[in-house]
Amino acid sequence: MVLGDLVKLRAMDPSDAEALWRWNHDPEVMRWMNDDYAQPLGRVRRWLEERPRNAYGEVILGIEALADTHLIGLVQLRESDPETGCAKLDIYLGEKEYWGRGYATDAMRTVCRYGFEKMRLHKISLTVVTENHAAHRVYQKVGFVDEGRLRQTFRRDGRWYDMFTMGLLEGELRPASDQGAQAPS
């Protein structure tokens, strides 16, 4: 369990399957994410039961709102490499009533702090569809910088979109009090 100001990051449990299934079948939640083929609820539950436990190479954590202990999303550090100190990050909030209220920013800041302090990572990377302006702003708030652009690598509704690659180095994580600052260009 890892605490932020608004969220607690905790291990995912088979009892989380229904929320995860619901989010993964919500077109608005999945709008800017690579979504898989639809799965029945039982398959999602089995995946949560059978997946390997969290380890250095892959950590999946549920995002729980501290105010009401409601599971609102998940975050993942994956492909973590102890030799290079690099990992990739994925995040999403599935409960739409928590969007735009600082929960994603706090979850990002909290998981990055965990990655740098507990996992001893040097760099955390992610990709974001260029049209996903809300997510891009969240990533910039915590200190991620644009490192490049992947041309036409995301397809949605018959259209190709570019993606930004973004990175955050150890020591660049912005504290909550600095969230209004702009990312360097």
Side-chain angles (χ1 to χ4, degrees), residues 80-153:
S80 305
D81 183 343
E83 290 183 24
T84 63
C86 295
K88 295 179 180 172
L89 186 147
D90 300 308
I91 184 172
Y92 75 103
L93 293 188
E95 298 297 337
K96 293 181 273 194
E97 63 268 23
Y98 292 84
W99 291 3
R101 297 177 48 200
Y103 289 95
T105 303
D106 188 51
M108 283 292 295
R109 190 173 284 113
T110 303
V111 75
C112 289
R113 184 173 32 99
Y114 174 82
F116 293 133
E117 293 175 5
K118 299 292 184 196
M119 296 175 66
R120 298 185 188 142
L121 293 173
H122 175 66
K123 182 178 184 177
I124 299 173
S125 301
L126 58 82
T127 58
V128 60
V129 179
T130 54
E131 298 297 314
N132 191 348
H133 305 294
H136 193 239
R137 275 192 305 276
V138 166
Y139 305 149
Q140 288 176 320
K141 276 186 198 177
V142 299
F144 279 82
V145 297
D146 293 338
E147 295 182 330
R149 186 178 192 115
L150 303 170
R151 297 180 317 136
Q152 298 187 10
T153 56

Side-chain angles (χ1 to χ4, degrees), residues 1 9-13 16 20 23 47-48 51-63 71 73-80 88 90-92 111 114 119:
M1 174 174 62
L9 305 181
R10 59 152 176 90
M12 296 290 290
D13 187 83
D16 298 324
L20 187 58
W23 303 335
W47 175 78
L48 285 169
R51 68 174 289 280
R53 43 179 268 200
N54 284 335
Y56 188 86
E58 180 178 43
V59 177
I60 298 176
L61 300 167
I63 303 168
L71 183 69
L74 66 84
V75 65
Q76 175 182 26
L77 287 169
R78 61 182 168 82
E79 300 177 37
S80 305
K88 295 179 180 172
D90 300 308
I91 184 172
Y92 75 103
V111 75
Y114 174 82
M119 296 175 66

Side-chain angles (χ1 to χ4, degrees), residues 22-33 92-96 99:
R22 187 170 29 85
W23 303 335
N24 289 339
H25 289 83
D26 184 327
E28 194 174 358
V29 171
M30 300 305 291
R31 174 78 181 137
W32 298 118
M33 297 178 57
Y92 75 103
L93 293 188
E95 298 297 337
K96 293 181 273 194
W99 291 3

